[in-house]
Amino acid sequence: MTRLLEFIVAIVIVAILGVVVGVAMPSTGHVEREMLISKDLRQVYDVFSNFRRFPDYTVLRSFDPKVQFELSGKAYGPGAKIAWKADDKKVGDGSLEIASVDPSFAAVTDAGKGTIVWNLENGWRGHDKKFTIKLERTGRSQKLVKVNWSYDVTYGWNLVDRFSNLYIHGDPDALIQFSLSNLQNVMAAIPNIDYSKMVPSIVDQPAKPILFVSTTAPRTLDDVDTASDKAMAEIQAAAKKLGVNIVSPRITFTTNWGDQNYTFDVAAEIDATTLKINGQDVELTAAQRPSLDAAAPAEASTAAGAAPAADAAAAPGSKDKLGRVIVDGNVKAVLAFGGKALKAEWNGTGAGLPQTRQMLEAYSQTHGYKFDDVTYRAYDIQVKAPTNNKGTIEGYDEQKFEIYLPLQGDNVPDQTPEQEAGMKQPGLDDTAPAGSSSAPAPAGTAPAPASTAAAQ
């Protein structure tokens, strides 16, 4: 009986000691990790200001490859949400919501720093759980971004929760540390370019019929202009022969911006989806992916389509392996565009087009917009072209281009953050012209703009 009483007293003493220790332990928990990333500040800010890239860098997928993510709420900024479900207890079910961003995306580049707060709901002990990501431009040349990712939790008077603070360097710390390492790999695949002055928009227009010619030229403005004019002359001759009208400015699909040469397609929208070729009506359809049949070797294709040797002998009115109609000589026809595209404007010479295309790609990657630069290539439309005044070219530095990057997937947002904020692209007076020897400058043929997604 005495030993039983001693055992009971020991249990009471241990319980009292546990309560005392629990009361003495902090009512909040905090852990943080830092990493330097060699990227533009705005890019890192954008990645953390939406959850569309979260599955690509979070360590949760490493813990459980079968984890399922679901986006909801806004696409960007406060109100954006992501939830996950997993069978692995280490991952469990949970969700994140962006609570605040400071400053706004339009001001973070000038501010040189920013703070993003995520609210967390999951099976970890405590309440008022949140991640805080602090970004600051640093380095001798200010080309690095210091990322400070912290986790904060409140335990209150729940003594069991307070004891869980002993393990805050377990799952919370591991999630931050490993996710930061994965983020390095994600950011490495994004072009390191400052797109903070660009005002992109997401546009959606129906498919349109086009005539196009594939060509290649050395990477100089004069050579590309010459190749574009030659291709456009072929398109105009084919349109006249077909009895259709060209109803858009010149469109240029980029295939390969190489070190020495530029491979591209010159195209123009027409006003008919059915063409009469050799006395037969041919209905234009969207291009199809190349056949994987081993007996049918893949074609070398451009944005709107290439003209392989096999097609050179094909009869006008027939279709190539991609479903594009052979019109005459190098001219083909296809039902192009259709779907959503990311659009930007460039004011100046064509020398600024390659950089603008790269900005669109970087913007898409940081915002989680999917694109296929092999099948659905970027293209540009020359809205305002130079004029020939009695042999003198005028307005060469005052050209206006619309550049499009076709987007893929079913969950593309309706608007970019810039669109939601009502921002407008600066005009010619606000944009310094680019140089004159580094990029193509296609010439236009009609005043009306065309549509917004690339042909295959």
Side-chain angles (χ1 to χ4, degrees):
M1 187 67 180
T2 302
R3 289 188 176 181
L4 178 60
L5 290 175
E6 291 176 347
F7 180 74
I8 294 174
V9 170
I11 291 177
V12 171
I13 293 174
V14 170
I16 292 174
L17 287 174
V19 171
V20 172
V21 171
V23 171
M25 293 187 71
S27 61
T28 61
H30 176 85
V31 63
E32 65 182 58
R33 289 290 180 266
E34 285 187 358
M35 179 171 287
L36 291 177
I37 298 179
S38 179
K39 283 292 176 181
D40 179 70
L41 173 63
R42 171 67 188 277
Q43 290 191 7
V44 184
Y45 175 93
D46 283 340
V47 168
F48 280 114
S49 294
N50 74 89
F51 290 124
R52 303 174 74 86
R53 296 303 304 269
F54 182 76
D56 297 330
Y57 64 83
T58 179
V59 73
L60 298 180
R61 196 179 291 281
S62 299
F63 293 155
D64 184 358
K66 296 182 180 179
V67 62
Q68 299 294 317
F69 294 96
E70 182 180 1
L71 295 167
S72 61
K74 295 184 63 177
Y76 183 97
K81 302 177 183 178
I82 188 170
W84 62 87
K85 296 185 180 222
D87 295 330
D88 191 320
K89 293 182 179 180
K90 185 177 181 65
V91 177
D93 299 345
S95 66
L96 287 167
E97 179 178 358
I98 298 179
S100 65
V101 293
D102 181 47
S104 67
F105 66 86
V108 69
T109 297
D110 292 336
K113 59 183 179 179
T115 302
I116 300 102
V117 178
W118 298 347
N119 290 335
L120 170 67
E121 293 290 340
N122 68 350
W124 294 346
R125 291 281 186 177
H127 56 276
D128 294 336
K129 293 171 285 189
K130 64 181 180 181
F131 288 117
T132 302
I133 298 100
K134 295 180 180 179
L135 309 174
E136 183 177 0
R137 191 184 290 121
T138 187
R140 181 176 300 177
S141 57
Q142 296 291 292
K143 293 183 178 180
L144 299 175
V145 178
K146 182 173 71 173
V147 181
N148 180 290
W149 187 341
S150 64
Y151 168 69
D152 292 279
V153 58
T154 300
Y155 301 120
W157 287 102
N158 188 315
L159 301 186
V160 176
D161 285 354
R162 289 194 178 195
F163 274 103
S164 69
N165 188 58
L166 296 172
Y167 305 97
I168 198 169
H169 290 282
D171 290 344
D173 195 3
L175 186 147
I176 294 173
Q177 186 65 45
F178 292 123
S179 295
L180 276 175
S181 297
N182 293 340
L183 180 66
Q184 281 273 31
N185 298 329
V186 169
M187 298 303 299
I190 301 174
N192 194 9
I193 189 170
D194 180 7
Y195 55 68
S196 59
K197 302 303 180 184
M198 181 179 68
V199 183
S201 59
I202 294 176
V203 293
D204 188 5
Q205 290 190 357
K208 300 289 183 68
I210 64 167
L211 298 178
F212 67 90
V213 170
S214 302
T215 188
T216 301
R219 261 185 49 172
T220 67
L221 292 174
D222 290 340
D223 288 322
V224 173
D225 278 341
T226 300
S228 298
D229 290 341
K230 180 181 177 182
M232 199 64 209
E234 294 184 62
I235 292 173
Q236 290 171 333
K240 184 176 181 180
K241 184 177 179 180
L242 292 169
V244 298
N245 299 310
I246 293 176
V247 293
S248 79
R250 180 180 296 172
I251 306 167
T252 302
F253 291 87
T254 294
T255 301
N256 181 36
W257 181 251
D259 293 334
Q260 301 295 329
N261 296 318
Y262 176 44
T263 303
F264 58 103
D265 295 340
V266 177
E269 181 187 343
I270 57 177
D271 60 355
T273 57
T274 301
L275 304 179
K276 185 173 287 294
I277 305 176
N278 288 343
Q280 296 183 344
D281 289 337
V282 180
E283 186 73 20
L284 299 184
T285 59
Q288 304 298 320
R289 292 182 179 273
S291 171
L292 297 179
D293 187 353
E299 302 178 37
S301 175
T302 66
D311 290 332
S318 63
K319 293 186 178 182
D320 63 13
K321 293 186 179 78
L322 300 183
R324 302 160 302 189
V325 176
I326 298 169
V327 176
D328 188 18
N330 296 323
V331 182
K332 292 185 180 182
V334 72
L335 197 62
F337 314 121
K340 292 184 178 181
L342 189 64
K343 171 189 171 184
E345 296 180 359
W346 169 252
N347 300 307
T349 72
L353 294 176
Q355 185 181 38
T356 307
R357 288 193 293 266
Q358 194 175 44
M359 287 181 181
L360 284 176
E361 292 180 2
Y363 185 97
S364 295
Q365 289 175 278
T366 59
H367 288 72
Y369 306 155
K370 295 181 180 180
F371 62 92
D372 180 354
D373 59 357
V374 174
T375 306
Y376 302 94
R377 298 180 184 268
Y379 63 98
D380 57 81
I381 301 174
Q382 187 180 40
V383 179
K384 181 180 179 182
T387 57
N388 190 329
N389 184 8
K390 298 179 181 180
T392 301
I393 302 299
E394 297 179 349
Y396 195 75
D397 292 340
E398 299 178 353
Q399 300 177 67
K400 181 175 181 180
F401 298 88
E402 295 175 349
I403 302 94
Y404 297 89
L405 181 66
L407 302 178
Q408 308 300 308
D410 298 328
N411 62 343
V412 179
D414 292 329
Q415 292 184 315
T416 63
E418 286 80 0
Q419 282 176 282
E420 293 182 354
M423 297 175 63
K424 301 294 183 182
Q425 181 70 34
L428 285 167
D429 294 338
D430 304 312
T431 305
S436 59
S437 61
S438 61
T445 59
S451 50
T452 61
Q456 292 187 4

